[in-house]
């Protein structure tokens, strides 16, 4: 069965600092990979996705993520964090094989200090 | 505007009183699903539907029912709610049978007393 691990429950950064959120997945082949953001009181919104091709993908709000097959990772990065980036971030794997159920990580809560 | 809508957004009820949370999407997606979100547990899928009249269990289906009589609607039914079903619920839809991007509703916060 596929799984997604986000090892950091909380991350605290200062405004203007760089950010990296970690995500590791477990699946035999390369699945479809996603990062979603959940702002307080709202639903999840897609930040970016990787299906194939260039392993560095650009998303909305200045985010990017890099797929590394050898490490089974799909880490999310942003060079300079803004206070409005404070939110919950979820890494996800699309349904694969004979399953029709996407798998989400447990989320990383980003706290931004002024 | 492409969107997934849910109603109600907030709901307080008592144990055993049947309730329905509605979900509707206007993107013509065949795949729809329900999730619950609990602190420390992330999102867990309750049920999904591949198309009209085609539904199946997700990871945590106990205590829930769904129906898919129309492509755009996918209501979640709690026949006899219990306090352990207090949670934040999200409806989602998407193309590609769960493989591709999921589009989420704004969430329904449920408290069962």
């Amino acid at each position: 069965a596929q799984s997604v691990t986000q090892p950091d429950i909380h991350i605290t950064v200062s405004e203007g600092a760089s950010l990296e959120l970690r995500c590791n997945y477990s699946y035999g082949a390369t699945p479809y990979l996603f990062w979603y953001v959940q702002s307080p009181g709202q639903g999840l919104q897609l930040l970016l996705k990787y299906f194939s091709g260039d392993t560095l993908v650009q998303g909305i709000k200045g985010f990017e993520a890099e797929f590394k097959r050898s490490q089974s990772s799909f880490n999310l990065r942003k060079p300079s964090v803004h206070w409005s980036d404070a939110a919950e971030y979820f890494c996800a794997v699309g349904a694969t094989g004979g399953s029709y159920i996407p798998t989400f990580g447990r989320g990383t809560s980003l706290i931004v200090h002024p | 505007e492409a969107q997934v809508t849910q109603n109600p957004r907030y709901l307080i009820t008592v144990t055993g009183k049947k309730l329905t949370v509605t979900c509707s999407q206007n993107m013509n997606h065949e795949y729809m699903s329900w999730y619950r979100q609990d602190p420390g547990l992330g999102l867990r899928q309750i049920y999904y539907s591949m198309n009209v009249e085609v539904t199946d269990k997700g990871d945590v289906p106990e205590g829930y029912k769904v129906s898919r009589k129309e492509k755009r609607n996918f209501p979640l039914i709690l026949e006899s709610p219990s306090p352990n079903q207090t949670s934040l619920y999200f409806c989602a839809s998407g193309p590609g049978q769960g493989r591709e991007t999921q589009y989420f509703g704004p969430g329904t916060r449920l408290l069962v007393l």
Side-chain angles (χ1 to χ4, degrees):
Chain A
Q2 63 193 37
S3 65
V4 177
T5 302
Q6 292 180 247
D8 303 305
I9 298 174
H10 302 283
I11 290 269
T12 301
V13 299
S14 297
E15 192 169 16
S18 63
L19 171 70
E20 182 170 36
L21 302 183
R22 296 182 291 165
C23 173
N24 292 94
Y25 68 92
S26 172
Y27 182 63
T30 300
Y32 290 7
L33 295 159
F34 306 86
W35 275 100
Y36 293 88
V37 60
Q38 182 184 25
S39 298
Q42 297 186 24
L44 280 72
Q45 178 187 16
L46 179 72
L47 275 178
L48 47 77
K49 62 187 177 185
Y50 174 78
F51 286 1
S52 65
D54 191 345
T55 57
L56 185 64
V57 294
Q58 303 297 320
I60 62 171
K61 306 185 181 187
F63 285 90
E64 66 178 26
E66 185 172 13
F67 168 64
K68 292 186 177 179
R69 184 191 308 274
S70 61
Q71 299 177 19
S72 296
S73 68
F74 189 55
N75 294 348
L76 181 71
R77 301 195 294 247
K78 187 169 185 178
S80 178
V81 170
H82 187 263
W83 64 266
S84 61
D85 293 324
E88 189 89 15
Y89 292 81
F90 292 93
C91 182
V93 169
T96 55
S99 169
Y100 301 103
I101 303 175
T103 301
F104 287 79
R106 295 190 175 190
T108 298
S109 179
L110 175 63
I111 301 165
V112 181
H113 282 313
Chain B
E1 179 190 356
Q3 60 182 345
V4 178
T5 57
Q6 294 178 230
N7 283 291
R9 293 290 312 278
Y10 303 91
L11 181 58
I12 301 174
T13 190
V14 296
T15 298
K17 185 175 181 181
K18 181 180 178 179
L19 66 91
T20 299
V21 184
T22 64
C23 172
S24 184
Q25 53 98 1
N26 62 3
M27 294 169 278
N28 202 36
H29 290 150
E30 292 184 340
Y31 185 91
M32 297 186 72
S33 59
W34 277 99
Y35 294 84
R36 60 178 291 173
Q37 182 181 16
D38 301 290
L41 298 179
L43 278 88
R44 294 178 293 167
Q45 195 186 74
I46 302 169
Y47 268 95
Y48 67 92
S49 170
M50 302 280 278
N51 212 329
V52 174
E53 303 292 1
V54 182
T55 64
D56 206 347
K57 297 177 181 178
D59 293 324
V60 288
E62 293 76 20
Y64 304 94
K65 284 178 57 177
V66 293
S67 69
R68 187 93 179 271
K69 293 183 169 52
E70 303 167 284
K71 193 172 187 179
R72 63 183 293 126
N73 296 325
F74 191 46
L76 179 69
I77 303 157
L78 284 71
E79 297 251 342
S80 184
S82 63
N84 64 13
Q85 293 178 297
T86 292
S87 188
L88 179 58
Y89 292 87
F90 289 102
C91 181
S93 72
Q97 301 180 344
R99 295 186 70 195
E100 300 188 24
T101 303
Q102 300 299 297
Y103 297 84
F104 286 84
T108 296
R109 188 166 291 279
L110 172 65
L111 173 61
V112 182
L113 300 173

